[in-house]
Amino acid sequence: MHRRQVLRTAAAALAAGIAGCGGGDGGDTPTDGTTATETTTATPTGTPTVTASPTETGTPTAGATPTETPSETATETPAATPTATATGPQTQLVTVGADGLRFRPESFTIAVGDTVRWEWRGDNHNVTPNEIPSASSWQGTTADDQYVYDAGHVYEHTFEVAGEYTYYCDPHRSAGMTGSFTVTE
């Protein structure tokens, strides 16, 4: 019975001691046996906001002198960074005859509305459609007045019909100068 009374007296003295330790220094040190933890988070505008939240450090033991251990943990969450996305149509470059009798790349995929730009790096080549979707009107360079073109020539076409396209260089088809691409929706 005597032990309980000692514990009650010690607890009351401890509570009174803690209450009286608030001090007048104007600091933010908690006086209730807790440790202040500051958390820094970023608002959507990117301005950090500091929030203090008490963290329990343990239960005081009777007869022990309470000690306070300030602890600061700063956690910053950056504002969301927008992901760069392609806006609008893109252009796919294809070199013609740059490394011999080849289209580079030989195959690729583009989206409806994208443009393919063929740039001649070699002489005596053309772009002749082989298989195209039925709704497509693409005619390649063979629809032009000139049959073949030399280095420096550029031909572009914007594709509006989805599907599989194959083409070749007419003078060098037997040497394997072929290409293909897919237009996706």
Side-chain angles (χ1 to χ4, degrees):
M1 177 95 56
H2 179 61
R3 186 173 179 206
R4 284 188 184 171
Q5 184 151 358
V6 170
L7 288 175
R8 281 189 199 132
T9 303
L14 179 61
I18 290 173
C21 289
D25 66 334
D28 291 333
T29 306
T31 59
D32 61 355
T34 61
T35 302
T37 302
E38 288 186 357
T39 304
T40 304
T41 56
T43 62
T45 61
T47 307
T49 304
V50 177
T51 306
S53 57
T55 305
E56 192 86 23
T57 59
T59 306
T61 307
T65 305
T67 58
E68 295 178 10
T69 308
S71 170
E72 291 185 4
T73 305
T75 305
E76 188 168 325
T77 305
T81 303
T83 303
T85 57
T87 56
Q90 303 295 309
T91 299
Q92 170 68 51
L93 174 64
V94 177
T95 59
V96 180
D99 56 351
L101 304 177
R102 299 283 177 248
F103 293 106
R104 293 284 186 235
E106 288 184 17
S107 64
F108 54 91
T109 299
I110 61 172
V112 167
D114 287 353
T115 299
V116 178
R117 177 184 175 99
W118 285 270
E119 293 182 358
W120 272 245
R121 306 281 169 85
D123 296 337
N124 299 316
H125 299 294
N126 64 18
V127 176
T128 305
N130 186 37
E131 294 180 20
I132 64 173
S134 60
S136 176
S137 62
W138 181 52
Q139 296 178 2
T141 60
T142 54
D144 297 340
D145 292 336
Q146 192 171 340
Y147 179 67
V148 294
Y149 298 89
D150 294 335
H153 182 70
V154 173
Y155 166 70
E156 290 184 343
H157 184 80
T158 300
F159 291 86
E160 301 296 340
V161 178
E164 300 291 325
Y165 293 76
T166 63
Y167 62 98
Y168 58 91
C169 173
D170 192 44
H172 303 110
R173 183 178 191 181
S174 62
M177 192 169 179
T178 62
S180 66
F181 58 96
T182 303
V183 179
T184 61
E185 299 224 20

